Amino acid sequence: MDIAKALAVIDRLRTGAFPAEPVRTDVGTAGPGYSIAELETSDGFWEDDGTLREETEEQYEYDRDGLEERLTERWGPPREISLYSVLHRTVEGEDLPEPWASLSGHVPNVRLWREQETGRWIALGVSQWDRELPFQLLAVVTDTDPP
């Protein structure tokens, strides 16, 4: 992973405008009050016996941790929050705000900072929708407080 490039994407998103409607962007997706950057995406695991998947998951967590170190230098230590309760509440029918509601379906936890200059939340998480599907390292920038 190119950490300098990932930091540049995060900086652009944290100071940029959010769209009025959900859209696909050059780095991921965005909507009212949030942007999600797909910093890194693996291959899928359709033919894997589990070994490659496990190695890839470890690498994505390692990459997240490396990026976390750089963001910690800027904004101090992050909070780690589980999105499990958000997923549970969403499944039970509660209408929770984006990006948290959709993230909870494929990102189990995030490292979270509140950036003082803009007041926005910046989160890092490793996503995987299902065992055969790719991993993604995501950066989230949002005005919406975590539920």
Side-chain angles (χ1 to χ4, degrees):
M1 181 181 76
D2 184 337
I3 288 182
K5 183 178 176 182
L7 291 170
V9 169
I10 292 168
D11 284 338
R12 181 169 54 104
L13 295 181
R14 77 179 175 82
T15 59
F18 298 122
E21 298 293 326
V23 296
R24 183 87 186 140
T25 70
D26 63 325
V27 294
T29 58
Y34 71 92
S35 292
I36 301 171
E38 300 159 0
L39 301 175
E40 190 174 29
T41 302
S42 74
D43 293 328
F45 303 98
W46 299 102
E47 304 289 324
D48 184 39
D49 65 359
T51 306
L52 179 59
R53 182 187 180 285
E54 188 174 302
E55 291 171 3
T56 303
E57 182 175 21
E58 288 175 9
Q59 182 63 49
Y60 273 65
E61 290 172 354
Y62 177 80
D63 290 349
R64 179 206 53 215
D65 293 348
L67 188 52
E68 175 187 338
E69 287 178 19
R70 297 295 297 276
L71 295 178
T72 295
E73 292 170 4
R74 294 177 172 190
W75 303 314
R79 292 178 18 204
E80 183 168 349
I81 63 168
S82 169
L83 296 180
Y84 176 77
S85 65
V86 177
L87 175 62
H88 180 72
R89 291 165 57 190
T90 301
V91 169
E92 293 293 318
E94 188 174 342
D95 186 24
L96 294 170
E98 293 298 340
W100 307 110
S102 61
L103 280 174
S104 70
H106 57 101
V107 180
N109 57 62
V110 295
R111 311 289 166 80
L112 185 67
W113 294 265
R114 182 75 181 248
E115 198 270 327
Q116 296 303 312
E117 182 182 330
T118 63
R120 291 180 172 175
W121 294 99
I122 291 92
L124 293 177
V126 176
S127 165
Q128 190 184 37
W129 287 90
D130 205 353
R131 294 190 63 78
E132 296 83 17
L133 297 177
F135 283 98
Q136 289 186 309
L137 177 57
L138 302 179
V140 180
V141 176
T142 183
D143 287 335
T144 306
D145 291 341

